[in-house]
Amino acid sequence: MTRLIQAAFAAAVLFATPALAHNGVVHLGPIDISLPFARATLPNAPVGGGFLTIENTGAEADRLISASSPAAAEVQLHEMAMDGEVMRMRQLEDGIEIPAGGTVTLEPGGLHIMFMGLREPFVEGEEVPVTLTFEQAGSVEIKLPVLAVAADAAPAHDGHQGH
Ligand SMILES: [Cu+2]
């Protein structure tokens, strides 16, 4: 039994190692960026979403002020929130504050990186490069591994077709 558990554990570690290396934490001064991903897009989809976790290990607040990518004509920082009964998203013109000692998660249904005017669809298994610029810490390029299309992504993004 013990041997079985050990074997299972070893297999799990083997399986997990490439993903961990792939999703390794990116350090930019006191800013740690982890768990990056993008969602695969359907053919001809005009927009795509990017997500990641930002931790500020420093003593002063910082701010994610912009993002850019060769994969899209424009990249914006967005927030999704309920407006009455309707889920809407809006551009965060002032960026996203990362409080001192705080962690901010960009995730489906909340804050996200919005890729607009995609040059090509995001294909599962590929990577999307994006350069993040922080007010204090400066800029860093990271790669977002493209994961599967999520069922709840497309309707939420319909509102962007008029951009
Ligand atoms: Cu958006």
Side-chain angles (χ1 to χ4, degrees):
M1 190 61 180
T2 304
R3 183 174 301 232
L4 248 182
I5 290 170
Q6 281 174 347
F9 182 73
V13 169
L14 277 177
F15 181 76
T17 300
L20 286 174
H22 202 67
N23 295 330
V25 177
V26 173
H27 302 284
L28 177 67
I31 299 292
D32 288 351
I33 301 164
S34 60
L35 301 173
F37 72 99
R39 281 176 164 179
T41 59
L42 299 173
N44 300 318
V47 300
F51 312 95
L52 41 78
T53 298
I54 303 167
E55 182 177 0
N56 182 357
T57 64
E60 290 180 26
D62 203 341
R63 183 174 287 275
L64 175 61
I65 49 175
S66 66
S68 64
S69 172
E74 189 179 357
V75 184
Q76 298 182 352
L77 302 172
H78 279 194
E79 168 185 68
M80 233 189 249
M82 293 302 291
D83 176 9
E85 302 275 293
V86 186
M87 185 72 111
R88 294 187 191 282
M89 66 173 84
R90 68 183 184 98
Q91 182 180 6
L92 298 171
E93 304 274 1
D94 296 332
I96 299 170
E97 181 172 308
I98 318 295
T103 299
V104 174
T105 303
L106 281 64
E107 58 192 342
L111 299 168
H112 57 278
I113 299 166
M114 182 109 268
F115 296 85
M116 309 176 76
L118 301 186
R119 311 258 187 240
E120 291 177 5
F122 290 176
V123 177
E124 187 174 354
E126 296 187 351
E127 291 181 328
V128 177
V130 62
T131 298
L132 304 177
T133 300
F134 294 84
E135 205 167 59
Q136 307 296 332
S139 297
V140 65
E141 185 188 272
I142 63 166
K143 303 224 188 290
L144 309 178
V146 179
L147 306 184
V149 176
D152 64 351
H157 289 128
D158 279 355
H160 280 300
Q161 304 213 353
H163 274 252

